[in-house]
Amino acid sequence: IINNYVEGTLAGVRDKASPSGLHFRDSKKKVDYVLAYHYRRSLARHAPGAASPEPRRGSPSVALVSNGGTGKGRAEPQQQQEEHGQRALPEWPGLPGLELVDLSPLDALEEERRLQREEYERNLLEAGLEIEKDPENKSQGLSFVRIHAPWQVLSREAELLKIKMPTKKMYEITEEKGILKTLNEIWCKLTAPLQPQVPQQENTKMKTLSYPFSREKIYLYNIKDKDTFFDSATRSRIVREILKRTSTKARSSMGIGTLIANNVYDAAYPLHDGEYEGQNDDMNERKLLYQEWARYGVFYKFQPIDLIRKYFGEKIGLYFAWLGLYTEFLIPSSVVGIIVFLYGCITIESDIPSKEMCDQRNAFTMCPLCDKFCDYWNLSSACATARASHLFDNPATVFFSVFMALWATMFLEQWKRLQMRLSYFWDLTGLEEEEEHPRPEYETKLLQKKLKKKNITSENLNEFCHMCDFVYVFCLQNEKEKLTCSDRMPGYAANFGLILFMVTLTFSAVFGVIVYRITTAAALSFSTNETTRSNVRVTVTATAVIINLVVVLILDEIYGAVAKWLTEIEIPKTEKTFEERLILKAFLLKFVNSYASIFYVAFFKGRFVGRPGRYVYVFEGYRMEECAPGGCLMELCIQLSIIMLGKQLIQNNLFEIGIPKLKKLFRKLKDERTELKEMDTNQSKDPQQWDLDYILEPFTGLTPEYMEMIIQFGFVTLFVASFPLAPVFALLNNIIEVRLDAKKFVTELRRPDTVREKDIGIWYNILSGIGKLSVIINAFVIAVTSDFIPRLMYQYAYSQNGTMHGFINHTLSYFNVSQLKAGTQPENSLFAQEVSFCRFKDYREPPWSPQQYEFSKQYWAVLSARLAFVILFQNLVMFLSVLVDWMIPDIPKDISEQIKKEKTLLVDFFLKEEHEKLKLIESFIARDKQRRRSGTKSKRTRAASFSQCQRSPKGSFTSFSSQHTVV
């Protein structure tokens, strides 16, 4: 370990760093992982009465005492520090007048962290890793520990982790034949300009046979160079596994995760492959990804999924493959959505109900929209709203809803096929779930439980920890010992209570916006300005939607943090369990937050208004808000579009770009402020790769990336009947989103640890659930929110000539204005004619009927038709979805055949190699017997790889050729 340089050895240390910044200072050993930490050295002072002057800062003497020293004489003071803690120590031998001072709490904490780092690094060395460490040549600063895994460690861990590696055997991939082959060739030629310019395999028709690495069968693998056999992603993954399971005795450290949580280390990360842009001509995978993938200028190109997988790992590769497929599938849905919208535009002039509503000759006198201050009004004044509603409320939207339900099923089926294809080519078939290490928080809680059982108090906890070599061994020595439901009950109770509170908070926010709409509409109705009164509905709707968007964005950020905290107090055992529970909580809260206001407009607004003379009031003076004369579907479209576009523009794009840049700037300024306090004259001008990567934002997982796309998927499918252009806006957003995420991963984030995953996990189940829910919701939107069913019923059941003429009059009921409650009649009515009856939208009996104002027969007939449509639509679409699912196999036929072929080839390859090995052994045995017959007596043993020898009691060697085991 290169550590604790004295002043004389510091010159030129940084200058000796490797030019690329990816190797040790010998420019040979590759840096596989980096640990970063901030250090603060405790200061030394003279003993009272000492005549010698105070040494200058940075001298070898001060460095020796304040930082633990180097070379001889270091062990004794360090041992005294461990034994006496904060008490003053005797003078350092050979340095009269200099002693260690009483440590302040801050210095004592820093000393404890330093000891933990030293012990942890010793344990890493014992595990076989090689370490290079920066000198701590300042009173405080940032230091890096660089880790290299030699071949022995890589091969050992690759065998333990069962990492599949390429063998010497290659085989030909069976190509599709017939018309499929022809279509594939045509498609490849057409899309050639869209392909990224990345290195491809020379012969794409051949595939290397892979097998889990085994040192005993090392002759099977195509090892040309041990330094490059394991790529950088695999090397960093192996080192990360060692870091996670290496423990220390101090403070119950279970691995690097606990040490980072306790601020012993600040960060642990693998290095990027170099700079992504610069003057040098050296091409690396990071620069290649930036040029061909992470720039907005290449938005039209396909993604280099194989290179993404190679550089970032399978888990991130699967995310971008899923995002690419989802974006491609949005193209046909966008085209159909535009056609549906254009159909509405074309047929708007021939829509009879809109014409009737706009015809001033009909003179439908409508009842006042509010009490006392609102006057009677003509239905023709709502002509613009009616015409706009037809753009989205037309028969084509029913077809589009069926299409989108089948589209969602097709997308999920195609993803399963692509996922299986990628699993085959990425050697993920047959991937077993690795046994995960327990999370540090789980281990700590388990240790506390054991200590509580053994009545070990906090005073003798340190003594107990010193008795154990590794705390986690003590925690896990009894396999039956684990956290039970009773241990987690406080966490479960807090989860239930807080989630219920958060859902209630969301509904309260929606109710607050409703109250705002009602009160603002009433206040604007009092205005003396005619323009203000005529635009009340537009003003209230626009401002309420913007307020709702702001509330949704704020609550989204709060819910993300709350979901993480709630998951932590549950104390899940493994990282996978933690991630799944976090996803479920975050999705539940964000789903309710994003769609609560939309559900209100779609299914509740205007349903509990009452009727003239018997309106429903809130706060004893404000009437419940009604839908516009053209129905609530237009308002639902406005609500959905603004929230969807607002979230995509502000949350998904501006936040993703701005927040990482601000965090990076803050971290850089913080480090620069620390550096300015004490300048290092020996600091190299050119920062190394580990310095550049430390400034970047740490990778926190794919949950935010998936979450925003899943919420968008909900906007595209759940209420698509009210907004056919939703897929278009989603497509435009995703074209930017792919490159935005790519640029963030390549330029803004530290390189993530590679994780092998064969699927996208719980996200697929969420997508499938949203797809099924969308069928039900769209059925109710068409049946309840739109006028599709009332129009259908009128045309085929009530119309005298089978046309839509008279539909508006059919949907309006009569009310006798003399029956209005006292104080609710319009004051100073300016209506041109005296009003005896006003109209309101509902199916009720007229005032001259014996059952006046009760629901009419038409109401019950339309309600029955609506419920029948929901049942018919839901079952028809579900049946078609199941049919599509059954017709499309989850595993492509060619991939299924290739997997079977690969298994057969693997067995044949093993038998052939074992047969050759056996023949080689037999030839050496025959040669050995021939030499003994000829009388040649040699005391030298044969090569250990061909024979096993043991020394006889008299000192002679006896060869046991029958015990040959390895070659």
Side-chain angles (χ1 to χ4, degrees):
I1 301 178
I2 303 174
N3 188 18
N4 297 331
Y5 286 87
V6 292
E7 187 180 24
T9 65
L10 287 175
V13 164
R14 297 289 290 194
D15 296 333
K16 294 180 182 178
S18 62
S20 65
L22 300 174
H23 295 80
F24 278 14
R25 293 190 174 91
D26 59 6
S27 298
K28 295 179 181 178
K29 298 176 181 176
K30 181 177 175 60
V31 178
D32 297 318
Y33 223 86
V34 173
L35 306 179
Y37 64 92
H38 280 88
Y39 65 87
R40 178 179 180 275
R41 294 163 61 182
S42 56
L43 300 176
R45 65 171 175 82
H46 290 281
S52 58
E54 182 180 358
R56 61 186 178 90
R57 178 179 292 180
S59 67
S61 300
V62 173
L64 186 68
V65 176
S66 63
N67 197 31
T70 58
K72 297 179 181 180
R74 179 183 174 186
E76 181 183 351
Q78 181 174 327
Q79 184 178 1
Q80 290 173 341
Q81 289 177 24
E82 293 178 359
E83 292 176 358
H84 298 282
Q86 298 183 12
R87 290 182 294 175
L89 301 178
E91 293 183 358
W92 194 284
L95 294 175
L98 194 64
E99 65 175 4
L100 292 183
V101 298
D102 292 335
L103 295 177
S104 66
L106 187 61
D107 289 335
L109 180 61
E110 180 59 35
E111 181 68 13
E112 184 181 0
R113 290 173 180 169
R114 184 183 65 81
L115 295 176
Q116 287 188 67
R117 285 195 293 268
E118 290 182 357
E119 182 187 0
Y120 185 71
E121 289 157 16
R122 283 197 301 270
N123 293 339
L124 292 180
L125 290 173
E126 291 176 3
L129 298 176
E130 298 180 13
I131 292 177
E132 183 179 73
K133 193 171 182 181
D134 281 342
E136 298 176 3
N137 56 306
K138 295 180 290 185
S139 61
Q140 60 179 358
L142 177 65
S143 187
F144 296 94
V145 179
R146 294 172 289 282
I147 301 174
H148 168 75
W151 169 258
Q152 292 82 359
V153 175
L154 292 172
S155 57
R156 179 191 72 207
E157 297 297 324
E159 184 173 356
L160 291 174
L161 296 173
K162 299 179 180 178
I163 298 176
K164 282 189 174 183
M165 300 304 295
T167 63
K168 299 174 183 177
K169 176 69 174 176
M170 295 188 72
Y171 66 96
E172 186 177 0
I173 300 174
T174 306
E175 291 186 338
E176 296 175 341
K177 298 178 181 179
I179 190 172
L180 292 176
K181 181 180 179 180
T182 306
L183 292 174
N184 187 45
E185 290 175 352
I186 295 173
W187 174 253
C188 290
K189 289 180 180 179
L190 292 175
T191 58
L194 306 180
Q195 297 295 336
Q197 301 301 314
V198 297
Q200 298 286 343
Q201 186 179 337
E202 294 181 2
N203 191 353
T204 56
K205 298 179 182 179
M206 302 295 291
K207 184 180 183 296
T208 305
L209 197 63
S210 297
Y211 185 72
F213 188 81
S214 172
R215 287 174 291 178
E216 291 184 356
K217 296 181 175 61
I218 200 168
Y219 55 87
L220 298 175
Y221 303 96
N222 188 21
I223 304 177
K224 296 178 180 178
D225 185 359
K226 289 185 177 181
D227 292 334
T228 59
F229 179 65
F230 295 102
D231 59 21
S232 58
T234 306
R235 296 174 70 98
S236 63
R237 177 190 169 203
I238 288 173
V239 175
R240 180 72 181 189
E241 287 296 322
I242 298 175
L243 294 176
K244 285 164 67 175
R245 70 168 184 257
T246 302
S247 180
T248 62
K249 293 182 289 186
R251 294 192 67 177
S252 309
S253 169
M254 316 301 176
I256 189 62
T258 310
L259 293 175
I260 292 176
N262 293 335
N263 295 319
V264 177
Y265 290 102
D266 291 343
Y269 52 90
L271 291 179
H272 279 292
D273 277 0
E275 296 185 19
Y276 61 89
E277 57 182 359
Q279 301 298 328
N280 58 338
D281 297 330
D282 296 336
M283 180 59 68
N284 56 61
E285 291 181 351
R286 187 188 188 193
K287 182 180 289 188
L288 189 60
L289 282 171
Y290 177 75
Q291 292 179 354
E292 295 295 327
W293 178 53
R295 294 187 300 115
Y296 296 111
V298 293
F299 72 92
Y300 61 91
K301 289 188 176 183
F302 291 119
Q303 298 183 87
I305 294 298
D306 289 329
L307 184 59
I308 297 169
R309 169 253 177 179
K310 181 182 178 185
Y311 191 78
F312 292 110
E314 285 77 6
K315 188 172 185 178
I316 294 176
L318 283 173
Y319 164 70
F320 281 104
W322 175 84
L323 181 58
L325 182 69
Y326 172 48
T327 305
E328 290 175 11
F329 259 71
L330 283 173
I331 296 174
S333 61
S334 300
V335 172
V336 178
I338 292 173
I339 293 173
V340 169
F341 178 74
L342 292 177
Y343 171 82
C345 296
I346 294 171
T347 59
I348 192 170
E349 296 298 333
S350 59
D351 182 50
I352 296 175
S354 299
K355 285 183 177 181
E356 288 185 350
M357 190 177 291
C358 295
D359 191 356
Q360 296 183 0
R361 292 173 298 179
N362 290 327
F364 294 114
T365 304
M366 306 298 292
C367 296
L369 295 174
C370 65
D371 294 341
K372 194 174 182 180
F373 295 98
C374 294
D375 202 355
Y376 303 104
W377 56 285
N378 278 323
L379 185 60
S380 58
S381 62
C383 175
T385 306
R387 290 171 66 87
S389 297
H390 178 74
L391 297 175
F392 305 101
D393 189 1
N394 57 70
T397 56
V398 180
F399 158 76
F400 191 55
S401 299
V402 177
F403 171 81
M404 288 303 295
L406 298 179
W407 172 88
T409 305
M410 288 279 291
F411 165 63
L412 294 177
E413 288 302 310
Q414 188 61 29
W415 167 245
K416 285 194 288 188
R417 290 169 62 83
L418 177 59
Q419 189 173 253
M420 197 63 210
R421 190 175 293 277
L422 292 176
S423 296
Y424 166 70
F425 284 105
W426 293 353
D427 296 319
L428 299 175
T429 52
L431 178 67
E432 300 177 2
E433 290 192 5
E434 300 172 4
E435 185 177 353
E436 291 191 72
H437 300 285
R439 298 177 65 248
E441 295 81 359
Y442 180 87
E443 293 283 17
T444 304
K445 188 72 175 179
L446 192 60
L447 175 63
Q448 293 172 356
K449 180 182 179 181
K450 280 207 158 227
L451 297 181
K452 189 175 181 181
K453 281 187 177 181
K454 293 181 177 290
N455 296 321
I456 299 177
T457 59
S458 59
E459 287 79 4
N460 55 10
L461 178 59
N462 290 331
E463 180 182 352
F464 173 76
C465 290
H466 280 292
M467 292 171 59
C468 300
D469 289 333
F470 296 99
V471 177
Y472 81 94
V473 174
F474 169 77
C475 292
L476 299 179
Q477 62 186 355
N478 185 0
E479 295 181 358
K480 296 181 180 179
E481 191 67 40
K482 61 180 181 180
L483 296 182
T484 60
C485 289
S486 58
D487 298 320
R488 292 191 172 101
M489 192 54 66
Y492 291 151
N495 268 264
F496 178 78
L498 269 175
I499 289 176
L500 190 62
F501 170 76
M502 292 297 173
V503 172
T504 307
L505 178 64
T506 301
F507 291 149
S508 301
V510 174
F511 182 72
V513 175
I514 294 171
V515 171
Y516 163 81
R517 296 163 71 114
I518 295 172
T519 54
T520 306
L524 293 177
S525 300
F526 302 157
S527 175
T528 57
N529 191 329
E530 179 65 27
T531 306
T532 303
R533 288 201 307 271
S534 61
N535 295 315
V536 168
R537 191 180 296 276
V538 176
T539 305
V540 170
T541 301
T543 55
V545 171
I546 293 173
I547 292 172
N548 198 55
L549 173 63
V550 174
V551 172
V552 166
L553 293 176
I554 294 173
L555 290 181
D556 251 6
E557 299 301 318
I558 295 174
Y559 288 168
V562 169
K564 185 176 181 181
W565 180 75
L566 288 175
T567 310
E568 287 174 349
I569 64 176
E570 274 189 22
I571 321 173
K573 184 175 181 179
T574 62
E575 286 295 339
K576 184 175 182 180
T577 309
F578 177 87
E579 186 178 15
E580 288 181 350
R581 295 185 182 182
L582 173 62
I583 289 169
L584 286 175
K585 291 182 184 64
F587 174 73
L588 172 63
L589 294 174
K590 293 191 176 187
F591 181 89
V592 172
N593 183 44
S594 299
Y595 299 116
S597 60
I598 299 173
F599 269 92
Y600 163 73
V601 174
F603 302 122
F604 298 100
K605 184 179 180 181
R607 311 293 168 195
F608 310 101
V609 176
R611 60 170 179 83
R614 192 179 292 177
Y615 284 112
V616 177
Y617 292 88
V618 292
F619 304 120
E620 299 181 356
Y622 298 101
R623 276 165 45 179
M624 288 293 292
E625 57 178 347
E626 302 179 43
C627 290
C632 278
L633 196 68
M634 186 63 197
E635 190 169 341
L636 175 62
C637 173
I638 296 173
Q639 185 93 2
L640 179 66
S641 59
I642 291 182
I643 291 180
M644 178 183 176
L645 296 178
K647 279 178 67 66
Q648 288 184 167
L649 180 64
I650 299 174
Q651 191 176 47
N652 297 359
N653 293 329
L654 293 182
F655 283 8
E656 279 195 31
I657 297 172
I659 291 179
K661 286 187 178 295
L662 290 175
K663 288 183 177 179
K664 179 182 177 180
L665 179 63
F666 175 76
R667 190 182 296 105
K668 188 175 181 180
L669 292 174
K670 179 182 176 182
D671 291 336
E672 286 179 355
R673 188 165 59 250
T674 305
E675 295 292 332
L676 287 174
K677 292 181 180 179
E678 184 176 348
M679 295 296 294
D680 183 8
T681 57
N682 297 299
Q683 183 76 17
S684 173
K685 293 182 180 179
D686 297 328
Q688 297 296 310
Q689 190 61 48
W690 47 84
D691 298 307
L692 298 173
D693 285 4
Y694 178 76
I695 300 173
L696 301 178
E697 183 72 12
F699 175 70
T700 55
L702 287 170
T703 300
E705 318 299 334
Y706 273 113
M707 188 65 71
E708 65 185 59
M709 289 295 104
I710 297 296
I711 296 296
Q712 185 202 84
F713 184 79
F715 282 121
V716 169
T717 55
L718 291 179
F719 295 94
V720 75
S722 64
F723 189 40
L725 295 179
V728 179
F729 291 108
L731 175 63
L732 296 175
N733 174 80
N734 285 10
I735 291 173
I736 301 173
E737 181 72 22
V738 171
R739 306 303 162 179
L740 179 64
D741 283 349
K743 188 173 183 180
K744 182 171 68 173
F745 273 86
V746 174
T747 67
E748 300 290 340
L749 297 179
R750 294 174 191 159
R751 188 172 183 175
D753 294 304
T754 58
V755 180
R756 289 178 70 84
E757 292 285 353
K758 59 183 179 181
D759 53 39
I760 60 174
I762 196 173
W763 294 112
Y764 180 84
N765 299 329
I766 293 175
L767 284 168
S768 180
I770 291 177
K772 292 178 173 59
L773 183 62
S774 68
V775 177
I776 302 172
I777 290 179
N778 280 304
F780 276 98
V781 168
I782 295 170
V784 177
T785 312
S786 75
D787 282 339
F788 176 74
I789 299 300
R791 291 186 183 195
L792 212 62
M793 284 290 295
Y794 176 78
Q795 184 174 1
Y796 294 103
Y798 300 108
S799 176
Q800 295 178 356
N801 53 8
T803 64
M804 294 300 296
H805 290 286
F807 173 72
I808 297 297
N809 185 57
H810 177 75
T811 58
L812 297 177
S813 299
Y814 288 90
F815 181 77
N816 190 343
V817 298
S818 62
Q819 296 178 349
L820 287 171
K821 291 183 178 179
T824 62
Q825 300 92 342
E827 289 185 349
N828 304 321
S829 176
L830 301 176
F831 208 67
Q833 57 194 23
E834 185 178 350
V835 179
S836 300
F837 296 96
C838 65
R839 310 293 295 272
F840 63 99
K841 190 173 183 179
D842 207 347
Y843 291 103
R844 291 183 181 267
E845 296 290 345
W848 51 83
S849 172
Q851 293 90 20
Q852 60 176 359
Y853 307 131
E854 295 294 327
F855 286 118
S856 63
K857 295 179 180 179
Q858 290 90 338
Y859 172 83
W860 298 110
V862 170
L863 180 62
S864 302
R866 282 174 166 166
L867 295 178
F869 175 83
V870 169
I871 296 171
L872 179 65
F873 182 90
Q874 176 184 340
N875 285 279
L876 175 64
V877 175
M878 287 291 187
F879 169 76
L880 293 176
S881 300
V882 171
L883 184 63
V884 170
D885 190 359
W886 175 75
M887 291 176 63
I888 303 176
D890 293 346
I891 304 177
K893 186 178 179 181
D894 60 324
I895 296 298
S896 178
E897 293 175 353
Q898 294 294 343
I899 292 173
K900 295 176 182 177
K901 178 181 178 181
E902 191 174 77
K903 291 179 180 179
T904 306
L905 287 172
L906 194 60
V907 173
D908 294 341
F909 178 58
F910 277 168
L911 292 176
K912 182 180 177 182
E913 291 293 330
E914 291 293 330
H915 181 65
E916 291 181 358
K917 183 180 76 170
L918 184 60
K919 287 174 62 177
L920 187 63
I921 292 174
E922 289 176 348
S923 66
F924 275 95
I925 293 174
R927 191 183 305 171
D928 185 43
K929 290 181 178 179
Q930 186 177 1
R931 287 184 179 179
R932 280 193 288 178
R933 288 198 195 101
S934 63
T936 304
K937 296 181 180 180
S938 174
K939 292 185 178 181
R940 293 184 179 180
T941 183
R942 301 210 177 266
S945 59
F946 300 107
S947 64
Q948 295 180 350
C949 306
Q950 69 177 31
R951 183 179 295 273
S952 65
K954 295 183 180 181
S956 62
F957 287 92
T958 306
S959 174
F960 295 92
S961 59
S962 61
Q963 296 182 6
H964 296 301
T965 56
V966 293
V967 177

